[in-house]
Structure formats: C-alpha cells, structure tokens
Amino acid sequence: MSAKVIWVAMVGACVGMLAVSAVVGAQTAENNVRKAVPWKQFHYTCEGGKKLSVYLRGDEAKVTYGDKTYLMKQTRSADGNRYSDGKVVWWGKGNGGFLQEDRPDGNGTMIVKNCMVAEAPVGSHEGTITGTVTYRERMALPANAVIDVQLLDESLADAPAKVIAEDKITLAERQVPVPYVLKFDARKIDARHRYAVRAKITVDGELRFTSDQVHPALTGGTSSDVNLVVKAVGK
C-alpha cells in the first residue's frame, strides 16, 4: 500500500471521528439544557374588589397590582410565604395575603389587604366563585362574627338544597364588604342543574344576617363573580 493511500485513509478516519464527536457533543449539550420552569399563577380578589396576581417560580415572585409589577425574592419568615424587593412585601398566608411597604418594624403602609385566592393555578380542575358579602345597615359587628357563604345545588324541588362548597370567615378586625372564595370540583358541575350562592352572618351561633333572595351562579349564563347583600334578621 502506497504512502498516499495510507495518508488518505488516515485523514478519512480522523474526519469520521470528528463527526462522531460533534454529534455526541451536540447530544450531550442538548441533554444538559435545563427545561424552563413554568410560573405558578395565583389570582386574588382584594378589599374593595381590587385584583392582584402573583406568579411564583422557585424563590422568585412577580406580583402585579394596578399598573405596577414587583419582582421579589422569598425572604425568611415563619410560614415561608413572604416575598420582598426591599421596598414592597407580599405576604401570603393560606388562601389570603396582603401587599405592604417593607419596613424593618413591619409597620409599613398597607397597599392592599384582605386578598383571597380567586382562581386556582392553571391546569387544575378546581373551580372558584368569588365576590363579597355586605349589608346596608350602619352598624359594626364584633370580631367573633362568622360569615358563612355556601354554593348550593337547588335543582331538586322536593329535596333540600345540596351544599357544593362552603367558606366560613371569622370577621376579626374587618368590616363589610368582606371578600370570599368558594372552591369546588368543576368536573362535578352539571350544566343542567341550578346553582345559587347564599350567605349568613352569625354571632355566638345567633343568626344576625341572612340572604333574602336567590343569587344564581355558574350555569344558565350566570357569573362566577357574585356579590351578596344580606339582610338583618327580623327587619
């Protein structure tokens, strides 16, 4: 075999090895690419019917309220749901939360409060009905007053209404209107049925206010945002 033939063969082998290395390198690089982590979305209805959205990913949070968006990092707290950008803090607690100026003493000016989750994270089967409960009488209720809001299936005329979802809220330091959230399994809602939202307010088990009219919801072209006005008992 001539030297020229040997040289050509060696060049061809080297080219082949380089090609294989390039393919393997490309596959390795592709496998090492980290998939983008999606943001979890939570939408809130706050005091006065104001809307606020929170997007969470790892220890990051984006909070949108009004025409502003705050980019925040998770900070140390007892329940792990405190996020801050150094100037503004979002503090989520259970299904609620509030947006406040971030100060070392914790007494920053409240930006918006009494926020309750209005929608479940994208992709879940959880449905929600949101709104507020209020009354027209000029009076304050004690802190131990309990607001009980129910989603009812009232389709059967000869049977009691079936409770589909319920939200019980202790008034504490708040006064009406108070936001509520009713969560339910959307897969169990029958489009042929009639659903309604009712509310009552009790103090130490004594009924003080109650719904005096039907507030349809979900089916028949009705809304999932239902504001309730309850009436004082005996008036």
Side-chain angles (χ1 to χ4, degrees), residues 39 55 57 59-64 68-74 83-88:
W39 292 90
Y55 303 84
R57 183 177 64 185
D59 64 349
E60 299 176 292
K62 290 191 298 184
V63 179
T64 60
K68 294 184 178 180
T69 297
Y70 305 93
L71 301 178
M72 303 181 177
K73 287 285 189 178
Q74 190 171 13
Y83 297 83
S84 175
D85 64 359
K87 296 181 179 179
V88 174

Side-chain angles (χ1 to χ4, degrees), residues 8-21:
V8 170
M10 291 177 63
V11 171
C14 290
V15 171
M17 292 176 65
L18 289 173
V20 171
S21 297

Side-chain angles (χ1 to χ4, degrees), residues 42-96:
F42 301 86
H43 303 286
Y44 293 78
T45 298
C46 306
E47 187 176 55
K50 297 174 182 177
K51 304 296 183 181
L52 178 146
S53 295
V54 177
Y55 303 84
L56 302 179
R57 183 177 64 185
D59 64 349
E60 299 176 292
K62 290 191 298 184
V63 179
T64 60
Y65 175 67
D67 59 353
K68 294 184 178 180
T69 297
Y70 305 93
L71 301 178
M72 303 181 177
K73 287 285 189 178
Q74 190 171 13
T75 61
R76 187 181 299 276
S77 68
D79 57 14
N81 291 320
R82 186 182 189 277
Y83 297 83
S84 175
D85 64 359
K87 296 181 179 179
V88 174
V89 59
W90 164 254
W91 206 321
K93 295 185 177 183
N95 292 325

Side-chain angles (χ1 to χ4, degrees), residues 4 27 33 41 99 142 156 174:
K4 182 177 181 180
Q27 291 176 342
V33 174
Q41 303 178 29
L99 192 65
L156 301 177
R174 295 174 291 185

Side-chain angles (χ1 to χ4, degrees), residues 163-226:
V163 178
I164 304 299
E166 186 172 24
D167 188 15
K168 289 188 176 182
I169 308 159
T170 300
L171 195 60
E173 300 303 319
R174 295 174 291 185
Q175 291 299 327
V176 296
V178 174
Y180 71 86
V181 179
L182 292 172
K183 298 181 179 181
F184 57 91
D185 188 342
R187 295 170 296 182
K188 296 182 179 180
I189 298 301
D190 191 329
R192 299 167 297 179
H193 286 200
R194 299 189 312 275
Y195 299 91
V197 180
R198 296 180 183 271
K200 64 181 179 181
I201 302 177
T202 58
V203 177
D204 294 328
E206 180 184 350
L207 184 62
R208 295 289 186 87
F209 292 85
T210 188
S211 298
D212 65 343
Q213 58 181 300
V214 176
H215 296 272
L218 296 179
T219 56
T222 56
S223 174
S224 60
D225 187 11
V226 183

